[in-house]
Amino acid sequence: MIELFTGFIEEHAFTGLFIASFLASTIFPLGSEAFVILLISKGFDPLSIIMVASIGNYLGACTTYYIGIRGRTDVIERYFSISKEQLERTDRLFSKYGAFLLIFTWLPLIGDAIAATGGVLKLDFKIFSFYVFIGKLARYVTITYITMSTMVFF
């Protein structure tokens, strides 16, 4: 049974990683970190893991941004579990810190609210993309580095 599971993961590794990373940045409270660690432990190419996870997570944030830009706060509140208060709090943070705040879309709990608020505020998509992708990339580089550094000791 374990061999079947291992074979499935190895055969669909990057597709699964992309889907997990995408969904982690949308409506599902899912983390992609475990998948990244698993693929690294299986010997998959770290650079490919970083890029697939970063692109998937970035595109998930773009989906959240799009829903925000369409003004669908009802969808955001209902399916993303982001309250009106969280959106208002994030709006205040944008007023204080500007677009730089988008780097933190990788953070659990508030990252989706940041991406959604970026859409609600109709921030320029190029600026949104730049900061969000940098944040997502930094996240997966860090996870990969820590995982690989720890594996050396085992």
Side-chain angles (χ1 to χ4, degrees):
M1 183 64 146
I2 291 176
E3 292 171 6
L4 180 66
F5 180 69
T6 303
F8 181 81
I9 287 176
E10 289 176 1
E11 187 175 329
H12 302 287
F14 290 112
T15 302
L17 176 61
F18 179 85
I19 292 169
S21 299
F22 179 89
L23 293 177
S25 195
T26 58
I27 63 174
F28 294 100
L30 179 68
S32 55
E33 295 83 1
F35 213 108
V36 169
I37 293 167
L38 176 66
L39 294 184
I40 291 169
S41 71
K42 292 284 182 191
F44 284 86
D45 177 52
L47 184 58
S48 297
I49 292 169
I50 290 167
M51 292 313 297
V52 169
S54 298
I55 291 168
N57 212 240
Y58 161 74
L59 291 174
C62 289
T63 303
T64 306
Y65 170 87
Y66 178 75
I67 292 169
I69 208 163
R70 301 294 298 166
R72 299 302 310 262
T73 53
D74 59 322
V75 173
I76 292 168
E77 288 180 47
R78 176 187 244 171
Y79 296 108
F80 287 69
S81 300
I82 300 170
S83 68
K84 199 168 269 192
E85 292 78 29
Q86 285 177 298
L87 288 173
E88 290 169 358
R89 193 172 332 129
T90 307
D91 185 16
R92 287 191 300 275
L93 288 171
F94 269 107
S95 296
K96 188 173 183 177
Y97 298 107
F100 181 76
L101 183 65
L102 292 166
I103 284 187
F104 298 100
T105 56
W106 64 268
L107 287 171
L109 303 174
I110 66 165
D112 293 341
I114 294 170
T117 303
V120 170
L121 295 174
K122 297 182 177 19
L123 295 176
D124 181 89
F125 186 69
K126 290 176 190 171
I127 293 169
F128 173 88
S129 291
F130 175 77
Y131 284 114
V132 169
F133 190 77
I134 294 298
K136 304 295 188 176
L137 182 65
R139 170 191 188 176
Y140 290 108
V141 165
T142 302
I143 292 167
T144 301
Y145 176 78
I146 290 170
T147 301
M148 292 180 73
S149 297
T150 342
M151 288 177 56
V152 172
F153 297 109
F154 292 104

